[in-house]
Amino acid sequence: TCAPVIALDGPTASGKGTVALRVAAVLGWHVLDSGAIYRLAALTVMNHDVVLTDLTRISDLAREMRIHFEQGRILLDGVDVTSSIRHENVGNLASELAKEPVLRQGLLERQRAFRTWPGLVADGRDMGTVVFPDAPLKIFLLADVDARAHRRYRQLVEKGESADYEIILADLKARDERDMNRLVAPLKPAEDAYVIDSSALTVEQTVERVLALWRQCP
Ligand code: C5P
């Protein structure tokens, strides 16, 4: 039988990455940061001087890129790209490329390969709807756009980076718009997902809710 999966989907900056890591740490499970896979595909495209309309080439590159996740570090073809994949331009290209069915198809098996014992917490946009439709627990983590913009703003300020709240807010809205309105695997809760609104919850409270749902899972 397959290892269990908790599918954790939601919009940008909803806190699902942090929640996924904490839930996985408590359960002793693996984590899939599927957004990082799309970002790695974007970085690969940027490194290869490809025309953005050559989707076959892009999909081939994404199938073939050599990626490693180890102790919080991410390697692409042997190079540490942990911080470079977080750049805004990489995120924007990832979200553009993510509209393309051939690319999504090319990344499907790679994502499913993370499903190993004792279990997987999978963080993304379509974990419950497309990648792991048979996941025994699906969570859709919401937070209103202002709460998410504030979180992102504080993160940047804490890192000592410059941050403009209005730009962050506009950027989140644009990304939401793209992710929710694309034709293939749009961001939306699976029919059998539990929706958690974390706007007024701390990370700890959100983690507790997810774990409580898992404990109740038949
Ligand atoms: O979550 P993150 O911001 O790292 O994801 C980058 C982009 O990758 C998102 O804006 C989204 O368009 C895309 N993505 C996706 N499906 C996923 C994860 C991410 O389309 N499962």
Side-chain angles (χ1 to χ4, degrees):
T1 55
C2 286
V5 181
I6 297 178
L8 193 58
D9 291 304
T12 305
S14 58
K16 54 196 165 54
T18 313
V19 171
L21 285 174
R22 303 249 184 125
V23 169
V26 173
L27 297 173
W29 288 11
H30 305 281
V31 210
L32 165 62
D33 173 0
S34 63
I37 307 230
Y38 283 88
R39 286 168 183 273
L40 287 163
L43 199 58
T44 300
V45 165
M46 290 161 89
N47 288 343
H48 277 85
D49 192 27
V50 208
V51 220
L52 288 180
T53 46
D54 191 351
L55 294 173
T56 317
R57 176 93 204 286
I58 290 176
S59 162
D60 287 345
L61 284 170
R63 276 176 209 267
E64 286 157 18
M65 64 185 180
R66 290 188 302 118
I67 61 181
H68 284 284
F69 290 79
E70 46 179 54
Q71 283 142 28
R73 291 199 317 147
I74 302 176
L75 305 184
L76 174 61
D77 297 321
V79 178
D80 190 328
V81 295
T82 319
S83 54
S84 54
I85 58 162
R86 299 299 156 195
H87 289 159
E88 219 49 38
N89 57 341
V90 179
N92 285 329
L93 181 59
S95 141
E96 281 299 327
L97 293 175
K99 289 193 288 202
E100 302 298 340
V102 265
L103 180 79
R104 303 198 72 87
Q105 190 61 36
L107 294 177
L108 205 51
E109 285 315 312
R110 294 200 92 124
Q111 297 176 79
R112 290 185 176 149
F114 282 79
R115 183 176 195 169
T116 53
W117 292 94
L120 178 69
V121 182
D123 146 16
R125 304 291 189 292
D126 62 343
M127 299 297 101
T129 49
V130 177
V131 183
F132 304 109
D134 63 334
L137 177 61
K138 300 178 186 177
I139 310 276
F140 195 81
L141 193 59
L142 282 178
D144 58 52
V145 73
D146 297 297
R148 289 184 283 130
H150 277 293
R151 284 179 197 164
R152 173 88 12 125
Y153 178 81
R154 273 199 306 273
Q155 269 172 7
L156 289 172
V157 171
E158 275 161 24
K159 278 198 280 179
E161 289 176 29
S162 65
D164 179 323
Y165 180 79
E166 292 305 323
I167 293 177
I168 293 170
L169 185 66
D171 199 73
L172 281 181
K173 286 182 178 167
R175 179 110 30 120
D176 282 358
E177 180 72 21
R178 263 205 306 267
D179 288 349
M180 289 189 292
N181 295 321
R182 68 178 174 223
L183 291 173
V184 182
L187 174 66
K188 63 155 201 267
E191 273 178 29
D192 50 351
Y194 292 91
V195 178
I196 299 179
D197 184 341
S198 77
S199 306
L201 298 179
T202 63
V203 171
E204 289 71 27
Q205 289 169 326
T206 313
V207 168
E208 239 346 283
R209 294 216 181 167
V210 175
L211 289 170
L213 287 167
W214 174 246
R215 283 186 224 108
Q216 287 165 19
C217 216

